[in-house]
Amino acid sequence: MKSPRILAVYGHPDDEGQVTGTLAHFIANGAVVTLVCATRGEVGEISDSALATQETLWYTRELELRASMAQIGLADVRFLPFRDSGMVGTPENEDSRSLHQQPAAVVVEALIRIIREVRPGMVFTWDPTGGYGHPDHIAVHKHTVEAFDTSGNAEAYPEAGPPWAPERLYWGSRGMKQFASIFLEMERRGTLSEAMEPERKARFEKAMLDPDPPVSVVHDVSAYIPLKRLAASMHRSQFGENSMFARIPEDMRARFYGQERFFQARPEWAPGTEPAPGFDS
C-alpha cells in the first residue's frame, strides 16, 4: 500500500459495527483511520426515553459514535451535514435535507474533499443493497463509489484539492443471512426478550434462502470481540439492555462477532478466486 491510511464511510452512527474489528486491527498495526458518518441518525429509535428525545437524538448519537470509536483508538470521526432519511414511505424520507434527496455532485464533492485531504490507501463502505435496503445506506454506497473513482481525476472537482486515487475499495459482504441465522436460532432457543415481529421474522426467513454475497476477504477479528462489544455498547440510545444484540448467547458470540467479511470492488476481485484470510497491510 502506498498509504497506511484507511477511510470508512457509513450512513448512521452504529453502521460502522460491520467494520469495527477491522478498523481496530489497522489502528493496532499503526494505520491512521478516518471514519465519515453521512448523517447523525436523527430518525433512529430511542431505546430509553431517559437518554434522548427526538429533538436531541442527533446530538446523543454523535456523542455515542465518538465514544464508541474512542474504544478502539479512532479519534478522527467526521460528519457530513445531511439528515437521516428514514425509511421509504416516511415523511423524513421526503425531507429536502435528507441524505438520499441530495444531488449526487453535492455528496460526492464532500467525500472527494475528505479523500484528497486524508489520502487513504483503502476505503470501506456499505454494499450496493445497503444491507437491508435503507435509502441512506444505498446512497452512501453509490456516492462513495463515485468519489473513489473520481478523486484521482485532476479535472474533476479541482476546487476540492489535489487529486488522490486510493488503491482499494471494499464493501461489507456479511449479508442479511448471517444476522438471520443468529436471531432465528435465538428465537428457537427462547432467548429473545419478546416475540420477533412477524415482518422481521419473514424477512429473516427469506434471507436464509438467498445466495451468499461474493466475498474477497474473510477477516478473523476474534481477538477484538471484547473491544467490538465494548464499542457497540456505547450506542446506548439504539441498543438497550434487552436488544437482540445484547442478548446474543455467549456460545454464539464468536460466530456473530468473530469474522468481518468484505468484497473488494476496486480493483475488482477475480471471480472464482478464494477469499483472502485477512488484509496484507
Side-chain angles (χ1 to χ4, degrees), residues 7 24 44 47 64 75 80 99 105 107 119 125-126 190 200-201 211 216-217 220 235 260 271 277 279:
L7 176 65
S47 67
E64 287 175 343
L80 299 185
L99 174 63
V107 186
R119 300 168 76 84
T125 193
W126 272 108
R200 172 175 277 183
K201 184 173 181 179
S216 305
V217 178
D220 180 357
H235 293 289
E260 292 177 352
F279 291 97

Side-chain angles (χ1 to χ4, degrees), residues 9 17 65 67 75 78 100 117 167 181 197 236 249-250:
V9 185
L65 179 57
R78 308 185 188 194
H100 97 115
E117 175 197 343
E167 293 184 44
S181 66
E197 298 170 0
R236 295 179 61 211
E250 185 74 38

Side-chain angles (χ1 to χ4, degrees), residues 14-271:
D14 76 33
D15 288 354
E16 81 291 340
Q18 64 184 286
V19 76
T20 298
T22 297
L23 299 185
H25 164 81
F26 283 126
I27 291 169
N29 285 277
V32 177
V33 179
T34 297
L35 173 65
V36 174
C37 195
T39 80
R40 288 172 168 79
E42 298 90 336
V43 185
E45 297 180 357
I46 302 173
S47 67
D48 182 343
S49 60
L51 297 174
T53 65
Q54 210 62 60
E55 291 72 30
T56 64
L57 184 59
W58 67 272
Y59 183 60
T60 299
R61 294 194 73 182
E62 175 176 339
L63 294 180
E64 287 175 343
L65 179 57
R66 295 187 185 282
S68 176
M69 293 297 92
Q71 308 311 309
I72 66 169
L74 199 169
D76 190 5
V77 177
R78 308 185 188 194
F79 290 86
L80 299 185
F82 308 117
R83 198 171 190 276
D84 187 342
S85 302
M87 295 301 290
V88 173
T90 63
E92 293 84 3
N93 203 245
E94 303 303 319
D95 192 315
S96 62
R97 299 169 295 172
S98 68
L99 174 63
H100 97 115
Q101 294 283 357
Q102 302 306 309
V106 172
V107 186
V108 170
E109 180 177 3
L111 292 173
I112 285 177
R113 286 183 181 276
I114 295 172
I115 290 173
R116 290 177 176 176
E117 175 197 343
V118 173
R119 300 168 76 84
M122 294 182 184
V123 178
F124 292 83
T125 193
W126 272 108
D127 71 292
T129 72
Y132 56 91
H134 195 294
D136 285 338
H137 299 177
I138 294 171
V140 161
H141 165 82
K142 178 177 67 176
H143 298 319
T144 302
V145 171
E146 184 174 346
F148 182 99
D149 290 341
T150 306
S151 182
N153 181 355
E155 297 181 1
Y157 302 96
E159 67 284 358
W164 175 263
E167 293 184 44
R168 301 186 216 162
L169 173 66
Y170 295 92
W171 56 65
S173 192
R174 189 172 196 173
M176 181 63 75
K177 183 181 289 188
Q178 189 174 6
F179 286 96
S181 66
I182 293 288
F183 295 129
L184 290 172
E185 172 66 12
M186 288 172 63
E187 182 190 50
R188 189 189 68 78
R189 294 187 185 188
T191 57
L192 297 178
S193 60
E194 56 188 28
M196 196 181 299
E197 298 170 0
E199 184 277 333
R200 172 175 277 183
K201 184 173 181 179
R203 184 154 40 97
F204 283 169
E205 289 175 339
K206 177 183 179 298
M208 294 301 295
L209 302 175
D210 292 340
D212 292 323
V215 178
S216 305
V217 178
V218 177
H219 192 192
D220 180 357
V221 294
S222 55
Y224 296 98
I225 289 176
L227 204 54
K228 287 181 64 173
R229 297 188 67 233
L230 180 60
S233 73
M234 297 296 106
H235 293 289
R236 295 179 61 211
S237 69
Q238 303 304 294
F239 309 130
E241 293 181 0
N242 286 321
S243 74
M244 297 172 78
F245 296 100
R247 298 176 71 87
I248 294 175
E250 185 74 38
D251 66 304
M252 298 174 69
R253 287 176 185 167
R255 179 172 142 205
F256 186 77
Y257 292 106
Q259 285 186 349
E260 292 177 352
R261 298 173 173 233
F262 304 95
F263 177 71
Q264 182 179 303
R266 303 285 190 278
E268 187 169 357
W269 195 256

